């Protein structure tokens, strides 16, 4: 038998996938297949008002009705869900239900809300019963969840592939998550045509989220470098592994040829198609490997926003879009993690920008590729541009340290001082 | 909207996966997770006598019992299942059941038998009710199947990833299949340690099966080159596509560094690990793209065997191992399909053998790489060596033509004359 002191096992789970222009027209058929010929016919469609205005949820609902389903639409998803918004959505679903299946049409907020509603209507209890410890009580569901079909309309979140729901816990001013294999959608339907209406600013920010998923899961701690786990200790995110690598590498190759193009011309169907494919692939990788420092940092960067209002987002509330928040410290985070896995950092840089092969090896190669992308697609230059300064560093570090689940996937130990250094160096990236 | 005359959509479905040395020790835990805390505890473990003699099924059963399951072992799987052997297995399961889940430990025969048993005990009827038309009645199951965990002990079949059960229909002297998404295992547990006892001849033949899965799914007709399908017309095998490509390419790269090594030294743990990974990856690709001419030809090559008895296989019955049967016409089949997708054939050759990059482009590159592998690992040189001659060509063509489901995935139309040419040129490959 092999030495069992180090981990020898990795796991891989992903939703079934239907991908391509027009795929979202077939959801009625797909849901009937999922539920079986004798299955139920009451569907809760979860979306948000902005996505609903673009007409996609209505078209999906029509397709469901044509296949004999009864559809109830919930379009009050809060963009960046909170414990309160999830509780409201679940309460609404309980009043209108029971349902036999859920369909989520939208960005990560709609899909994550559908995951939480699914959990709460099938297993009861409060949101905080299920939120990761120590913020919540980290209960596992005891009852099976309903089939959930995820239809992303934003290319980037990866939520259609993951077993996690991200939320703001309002009383504690902290972002946290609910994480359990049962939350993962049964089927992801990715239709690039649904993203043609996505504004440039949203494409840019969510593109940086895709990039973060790919590069972070590729540079995450190798699964075999963890201590061996018992069966009951396994977690959805097991670190970089041979399968997550496949997805991450191809996602980076795709991004090198479509991210700038999709931001520059949203009607470029080839670029939209490849962005949707890159988002899907990066989600498949991250959904098993996990992400690390840039995503941990993104929680307090988004959570502590004061008055930054990005272009192309609804301007009712100040916000740092998730993908922007991920990108702002990414260059410095990868400069910090470089020495733990130099080959992977260099290869990531060269997949994202083949011209980087001409540059001498070193910790600056990947950061320079990332900042060039940020500059070219109009991402803020750093933390200063979204309103943070030296005085905020301690609070940002504290917020990132709360994401121990993510920091544990970093390729090297991360101290508070390390994080403070990353935040300080990220005030201006270019 | 895009032009819908050509297909724009591809699908991707795969089992959940647990991979690595020692993974098979955790199946009790995994099955409890699949069934839920309130789920049942009666398990049917399907294996064959040869695998049982190696001790793996007993160890898996012990692990299940330790987690509170009751295990019934069925070890009478027929190597190369027949309609009669599947009916016997189902009958035995009905007598001993009901069961809450199935675990298959073995090669493709055990896993395919478990798929058929699962179908028959949950949905009733006879084997031929479900076999692909025109051999059978191609009924779809109306009732849900039980969770099935597949534990391959032979690196190669891909059965753990696919939604198909291959069988000999005795009365018609033909190989056919049962194909439905519900047949796909819920979880594949791939433990390279279980393959350490696999004899060299089995490693070689099943290695050629892996190679066939990878190269055939990579050179299959591109999904976008089919006519657009309606939702209800979609089939598990949708042709080459961006996701199947990922798996196939990496499988070929892995094979280039482990197939000869694993055959030469079965105790080479690195080679065994990479063979198991290559088999898994090739299975993930083939399970969605499909295979074509070499696999179609393999059916009559195996089905019409007279007295060939390969080394390292039980010698009770004459047989051409499936992987050997796939390989015997592969070189000529790819010479025939070359002009439909030259770049893919050349890239496959160069992934399998980087030295092939030095050879001038052309239809001979991939065949020469394949025949070199066959010669080096002791695969028969061609159809003549397993007992076929010119007089058998018509019958072989007829048998391959019966596999229209596979021929439809070829990158170009395949006529009876084309097949006859491939068989004739495959009497001696080296």
């Amino acid at each position: 038998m092999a030495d069992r002191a180090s981990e020898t096992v990795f796991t891989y789970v992903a939703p079934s996938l239907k991908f391509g222009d027009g795929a979202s027209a077939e959801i009625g058929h797909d849901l009937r297949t999922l539920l079986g010929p004798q299955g139920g016919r009451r569907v809760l469609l979860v979306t948000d008002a902005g996505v609903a205005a673009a007409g996609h949820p209505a078209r999906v609902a029509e397709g469901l009705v044509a296949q004999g389903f009864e559809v109830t639409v919930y379009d009050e998803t809060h963009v960046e869900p909170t414990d309160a918004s999830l509780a409201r959505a679940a309460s609404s679903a309980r009043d209108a239900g029971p349902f036999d299946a859920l369909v989520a049409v939208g960005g990560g907020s709609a899909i994550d809300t559908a995951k939480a509603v699914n959990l709460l209507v099938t297993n009861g209890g409060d949101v905080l019963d299920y939120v990761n410890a120590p913020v919540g009580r980290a209960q596992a569901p005891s009852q099976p969840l309903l089939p959930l079909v995820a239809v992303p309309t934003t290319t980037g979140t990866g939520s259609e592939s993951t077993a996690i729901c991200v939320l703001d816990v309002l009383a504690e001013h902290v972002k946290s998550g609910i994480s359990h294999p049962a939350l993962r959608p049964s089927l992801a339907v990715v239709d690039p045509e649904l993203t043609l209406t996505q504004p440039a600013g949203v494409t840019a920010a969510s593109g940086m989220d895709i990039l973060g998923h790919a590069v972070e899961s590729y540079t995450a701690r190798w699964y075999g470098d963890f201590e061996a786990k018992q069966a009951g200790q396994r977690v959805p995110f097991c670190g970089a592994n041979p399968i997550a690598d496949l997805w991450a590498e191809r996602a980076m190759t795709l991004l090198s040829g479509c991210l700038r193009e999709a931001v520059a011309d949203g009607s470029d169907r080839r670029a939209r198609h490849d962005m949707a494919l890159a988002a899907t692939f990066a989600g498949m990788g991250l959904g098993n490997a996990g992400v690390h420092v840039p995503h941990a940092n993104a929680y307090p960067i988004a959570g502590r926003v004061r008055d930054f209002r990005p272009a192309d987002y609804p301007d009712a509330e100040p916000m740092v879009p998730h993908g922007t928040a991920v990108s702002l410290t990414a260059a410095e985070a990868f400069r910090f993690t470089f020495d733990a896995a130099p080959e992977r950092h260099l290869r990531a840089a060269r997949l994202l920008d083949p011209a980087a092969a001409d540059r001498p090896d070193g910790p600056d190669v990947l950061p320079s590729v990332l900042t060039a992308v940020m500059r070219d697609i109009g991402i803020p230059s750093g933390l200063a541009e979204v309103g943070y300064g030296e005085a905020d560093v301690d609070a940002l570090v504290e917020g990132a340290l709360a994401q121990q689940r993510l920091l544990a996937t970093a390729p090297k130990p991360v101290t508070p001082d390390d994080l403070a250094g990353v935040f300080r160096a990220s005030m201006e990236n270019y």
Side-chain angles (χ1 to χ4, degrees), chain A:
Chain A
M1 305 291 277
D3 172 12
R4 292 279 191 274
S6 291
E7 186 54 78
T8 57
V9 170
F10 67 90
T11 54
Y12 175 70
V13 189
S16 298
L17 174 70
K18 182 172 272 194
F19 183 99
D21 286 343
S24 61
E26 301 183 2
I27 295 171
H29 178 86
D30 293 330
L31 198 53
R32 177 50 60 216
T33 304
L34 271 177
L35 289 169
Q38 327 290 316
R41 59 195 195 97
R42 291 179 51 95
V43 175
L44 178 65
L45 191 157
V46 177
T47 187
D48 67 55
V51 172
H56 305 316
R59 276 190 292 277
V60 169
E62 275 169 32
L64 288 163
V65 168
Q67 290 285 325
F69 289 99
E70 285 174 28
V71 182
T72 302
V73 175
Y74 179 80
D75 66 1
E76 295 171 44
T77 289
H78 190 270
V79 176
E80 308 289 319
T82 67
D83 49 346
S85 82
L86 297 178
R88 278 197 306 275
S91 168
S92 171
R94 283 198 194 98
D95 291 347
F99 294 100
D100 303 302
L102 290 90
V103 174
V105 181
S109 299
I111 298 172
D112 281 7
T113 296
K115 291 176 184 172
V117 167
N118 195 2
L119 176 64
L120 291 165
V121 300
T122 52
N123 279 267
D126 296 323
V127 176
L128 284 172
D129 290 339
Y130 302 102
V131 169
N132 296 333
V135 176
R137 288 176 286 279
Q139 280 180 24
S142 61
Q143 300 300 315
L145 274 65
L146 301 172
L148 165 60
V149 178
V151 189
T153 58
T154 305
T155 43
T157 76
S159 177
E160 73 280 3
S161 298
T162 70
I164 190 167
C165 160
V166 178
L167 70 156
D168 286 307
V169 178
L170 294 174
E172 307 207 19
H173 297 288
V174 67
K175 266 199 194 272
S176 187
I178 304 172
S179 179
H180 190 276
L183 262 60
R184 198 181 315 263
S186 321
L187 172 67
V189 176
V190 182
D191 186 341
E193 287 186 344
L194 302 188
T195 69
L196 288 170
T197 52
Q198 183 173 271
V202 177
T203 303
S206 59
M208 292 309 295
D209 195 17
I210 305 174
L211 200 154
H213 294 158
V215 182
E216 291 176 56
S217 58
Y218 194 60
T219 56
R221 191 169 167 188
W222 184 249
Y223 80 98
D225 293 338
F226 289 86
E227 280 182 31
K229 296 178 197 69
Q230 299 298 308
Q233 301 172 316
R234 299 199 181 281
V235 289
F237 300 112
C238 61
N241 62 70
I243 292 183
D245 281 358
L246 274 187
W247 297 111
E249 289 176 0
R250 190 58 59 101
M252 291 186 277
T253 298
L254 284 164
L255 285 171
S256 77
C258 67
L259 175 49
R260 288 174 173 87
E261 291 80 353
V263 174
D265 176 7
S267 68
D268 179 339
R269 298 183 77 100
R270 199 273 314 160
R272 290 294 199 186
H273 179 277
D274 286 359
M275 283 289 283
L277 204 54
T280 304
F281 285 14
M284 296 282 208
L286 114 89
N288 291 281
V291 285
H292 58 92
V293 178
H295 266 75
N297 292 351
Y299 279 57
I301 294 169
R304 304 183 64 84
V305 62
R306 288 193 273 268
D307 59 6
F308 182 73
R309 287 178 171 78
D312 291 340
Y313 281 82
D315 61 0
E317 299 177 45
M319 70 178 298
V320 182
H322 171 67
T324 301
V326 167
S327 72
L328 292 176
T329 66
E332 291 305 320
F334 294 126
R335 201 189 308 279
F336 160 68
T337 55
F338 175 81
D339 62 357
E343 287 308 318
R344 286 185 167 255
H345 287 69
L346 293 168
R347 180 154 164 76
R350 288 156 187 172
L351 290 170
L352 288 166
D353 178 6
D358 300 334
R359 302 198 42 201
D361 290 358
D364 296 332
V365 180
L366 180 56
S368 72
V369 168
L370 294 182
T371 53
V373 172
M374 291 167 68
R375 190 188 56 225
D376 292 351
I377 65 174
I379 296 289
S381 74
L383 292 171
E385 194 171 332
V386 301
Y388 294 108
E390 176 65 32
D392 298 303
V393 168
D394 287 354
L396 291 169
V397 168
E398 187 188 0
L401 284 172
Q403 311 304 325
Q404 283 300 323
R405 191 180 53 83
L406 301 185
L407 295 177
T409 318
K412 64 194 256 192
V414 185
T415 68
D417 281 353
D418 294 331
L419 289 172
V422 167
F423 280 116
R424 281 201 183 91
S426 299
M427 292 297 164
E428 278 195 8
N429 285 293
Y430 64 86

